[in-house]
PDB file of all heavy atoms in Angstrom:
ATOM      1  N   SER A 284     -83.818 -33.758 -42.159  1.00  0.00           N
ATOM      2  CA  SER A 284     -82.911 -34.812 -41.802  1.00  0.00           C
ATOM      3  C   SER A 284     -83.304 -36.151 -42.467  1.00  0.00           C
ATOM      4  O   SER A 284     -82.423 -36.922 -42.908  1.00  0.00           O
ATOM      5  CB  SER A 284     -82.888 -34.997 -40.281  1.00  0.00           C
ATOM      6  OG  SER A 284     -84.204 -35.123 -39.762  1.00  0.00           O
ATOM      7  N   SER A 597     -60.669 -16.682 -33.387  1.00  0.00           N
ATOM      8  CA  SER A 597     -62.055 -17.070 -33.296  1.00  0.00           C
ATOM      9  C   SER A 597     -62.322 -18.080 -32.167  1.00  0.00           C
ATOM     10  O   SER A 597     -63.225 -17.946 -31.370  1.00  0.00           O
ATOM     11  CB  SER A 597     -62.576 -17.610 -34.601  1.00  0.00           C
ATOM     12  OG  SER A 597     -63.936 -18.028 -34.497  1.00  0.00           O
ATOM     13  N   ILE A 613     -54.238 -14.723 -26.562  1.00  0.00           N
ATOM     14  CA  ILE A 613     -53.539 -15.676 -25.678  1.00  0.00           C
ATOM     15  C   ILE A 613     -54.421 -16.899 -25.407  1.00  0.00           C
ATOM     16  O   ILE A 613     -55.556 -16.779 -24.941  1.00  0.00           O
ATOM     17  CB  ILE A 613     -53.158 -14.932 -24.355  1.00  0.00           C
ATOM     18  CG1 ILE A 613     -52.250 -13.765 -24.613  1.00  0.00           C
ATOM     19  CG2 ILE A 613     -52.467 -15.909 -23.388  1.00  0.00           C
ATOM     20  CD1 ILE A 613     -52.039 -12.850 -23.422  1.00  0.00           C
ATOM     21  N   SER A 644     -36.450 -19.619 -14.448  1.00  0.00           N
ATOM     22  CA  SER A 644     -35.968 -20.071 -15.748  1.00  0.00           C
ATOM     23  C   SER A 644     -37.086 -19.868 -16.825  1.00  0.00           C
ATOM     24  O   SER A 644     -36.837 -19.493 -17.953  1.00  0.00           O
ATOM     25  CB  SER A 644     -35.552 -21.506 -15.737  1.00  0.00           C
ATOM     26  OG  SER A 644     -36.597 -22.374 -15.409  1.00  0.00           O
ATOM     27  N   ASP A 711     -66.921 -26.103 -12.093  1.00  0.00           N
ATOM     28  CA  ASP A 711     -67.227 -27.173 -12.999  1.00  0.00           C
ATOM     29  C   ASP A 711     -65.971 -28.037 -13.124  1.00  0.00           C
ATOM     30  O   ASP A 711     -65.092 -27.818 -13.893  1.00  0.00           O
ATOM     31  CB  ASP A 711     -67.642 -26.634 -14.367  1.00  0.00           C
ATOM     32  CG  ASP A 711     -68.103 -27.784 -15.300  1.00  0.00           C
ATOM     33  OD1 ASP A 711     -68.252 -28.887 -14.856  1.00  0.00           O
ATOM     34  OD2 ASP A 711     -68.360 -27.503 -16.521  1.00  0.00           O
TER      35      ASP A 711
END
Side-chain angles (χ1 to χ4, degrees):
S284 53
S597 176
I613 301 169
S644 65
D711 187 5

